[in-house]
Amino acid sequence: MRTPASNASPSHAPQSGAPVREPEQLPFLLSQGQGEAARRLMSYVASLPLPGPDAQLLAAVSAIRAARGGVANVTGADLAALRLTDPHQAVNALRDVGWQLADTVLDSDPAAPPTRVTVPELAPENDHPLPRAKLTRSRVSGWTARTLSAKPLKKLPPAARLAGLYLAAHGTSGLLTPVPADLPAACRPALPSLLEKGFLAELSGEGYRLDPRVGHLAGVRVPAPDDGAAARDPSATAAAGTRKFQFDADTWAAWKDTAGPALRQHVESVENCALCRLRPFAVAEAFSGPSRPQNVSEPTRILYEEWKEAHPDRGPQAAAFTVDFRARHGHGPSYKQLGKGMGWKVSRELRGYIVRRLVQDAWLMGTGTVPWTLRPGPAAQEQGITLPRARGAQSTALSPS
């Protein structure tokens, strides 16, 4: 896992000084449904009896273009952009599984016409897992190109870039996600290089997390920000009718069915927490309801400066609280639970601003999008305030969130 210099292994993380504020994330390239289509594409590629990453990369780029009619147009420039170790071998490997393509695809002349690649099993009359809708195919095709050309990936060997496609399709910069079960075996030795180059922010025996700088490439979409203050009082159900969010058990179940494995595991750890005992309405609203505005008024900013002076140890104390909370609950605290546990008797607006400042100052780490995910940030880790897993202890209680 990437940690500050005092805790990091030289082979798995760059040495650094003071924590660097993460850049603002770019808009997601894929919607939730398009992310699912990207995962189906990668699973389809993994199912083909191809000899290695070269052929699998070419298959990924070609298959999504051929998903509607069984035929794709591929140019020599497309092939060159993949930077394959042996393009001829990749072309022959696709022919061996029944794909039809001419040697003209190897022509690097930019003026050369595209080559038709025919994929019989993707013909219109055949039932196959890839998307047929034009917009989805276009978006996923663009996503493959943008991911492979991302700065941390573009100079890496084919196995590492293919691994980047798989991890981007299945992952997020917000949650620790299990490494895909169908990730090709040739890609696994390349995973540490994705961490070293900054494509991943974390990599452990349990899973990985995309670096926020490439978070826009994620195929798993998480809900809009909410402080997760879902530990509502008993009047929440009665007040539900006056809110924009309307709880429906079937809709909530359907939402969870579309979530990735790591996100669903995190949701269920919150739902089933015997200590929080949250109402289903509250959990559903926090994860799938409309986001709350995060505008901060000038009076609140002034109050924060006064509050900050009275709480000089706020960062280490808040980080230590999240460690203890996670050990007992199996998930991180909401903004409200953190404020209550710390004894902050402040307004909701000020509490939210306090937590966001702690995240900006690297004392806390939150996904920014998923509730109940607060944990120690890089500044806290430099002081030895870390989760047990980060200290090398056996991970037995903590949910990947």
Side-chain angles (χ1 to χ4, degrees), residues 296 300-301 304-305 335 348-358 360:
V296 180
T300 295
R301 295 179 186 275
Y304 170 76
E305 294 300 321
Y335 285 22
R348 181 191 184 95
E349 180 179 342
L350 178 54
R351 181 182 66 226
Y353 188 57
I354 290 170
V355 178
R356 292 195 296 274
R357 287 294 299 266
L358 289 171
Q360 291 173 7

Side-chain angles (χ1 to χ4, degrees), residues 313-400:
D313 296 325
R314 61 197 177 280
Q317 290 176 355
F321 176 86
T322 66
V323 174
D324 179 67
F325 188 98
R326 281 175 171 268
R328 292 182 291 111
H329 292 251
H331 59 79
S334 69
Y335 285 22
K336 182 177 181 179
Q337 288 169 327
L338 175 61
K340 183 177 180 180
M342 296 298 296
W344 299 339
K345 297 181 179 180
V346 297
S347 68
R348 181 191 184 95
E349 180 179 342
L350 178 54
R351 181 182 66 226
Y353 188 57
I354 290 170
V355 178
R356 292 195 296 274
R357 287 294 299 266
L358 289 171
V359 171
Q360 291 173 7
D361 294 337
W363 288 110
L364 296 178
M365 179 185 297
T367 68
T369 53
V370 182
W372 291 288
T373 57
L374 292 174
R375 54 186 169 184
Q381 294 173 25
E382 286 186 333
Q383 296 193 9
I385 306 172
T386 62
L387 299 179
R389 183 171 54 225
R391 294 194 292 268
Q394 294 292 329
S395 59
T396 58
L398 296 177
S399 165

Side-chain angles (χ1 to χ4, degrees), residues 200-265:
L200 300 181
E202 295 184 51
L203 178 64
S204 72
E206 298 180 2
Y208 68 97
R209 182 169 63 87
L210 299 178
D211 191 286
R213 289 170 294 183
V214 296
H216 61 292
L217 302 174
V220 175
R221 292 292 301 273
V222 288
D226 188 274
D227 71 0
R232 315 290 186 193
D233 58 32
S235 64
T237 302
T242 63
R243 299 178 181 177
K244 293 181 179 179
F245 179 81
Q246 296 292 326
F247 176 72
D248 177 81
D250 291 339
T251 300
W252 173 230
W255 185 93
K256 288 188 289 184
D257 286 341
T258 64
L263 177 57
R264 182 172 184 123
Q265 180 181 354

Side-chain angles (χ1 to χ4, degrees), residues 92-112:
N92 288 331
L94 293 184
R95 288 171 177 158
D96 289 343
V97 297
W99 291 29
Q100 301 163 19
L101 64 167
D103 284 340
T104 53
V105 74
L106 298 167
D107 190 345
S108 59
D109 183 355

Side-chain angles (χ1 to χ4, degrees), residues 25 27-40 42 139-140 143-144 147 164-175 177 180 199 208 210-211 214-222 258-261 263:
Q25 184 172 311
F28 284 100
L29 294 186
L30 302 175
S31 67
Q32 184 86 340
Q34 292 160 1
E36 174 58 32
R39 291 187 288 279
R40 293 202 304 270
M42 302 317 300
R139 288 291 179 83
V140 176
W143 166 83
T144 62
T147 301
L165 274 182
Y166 274 87
L167 299 191
H170 289 81
T172 169
S173 62
L175 293 174
T177 305
F199 190 81
Y208 68 97
L210 299 178
D211 191 286
V214 296
H216 61 292
L217 302 174
V220 175
R221 292 292 301 273
V222 288
T258 64
L263 177 57

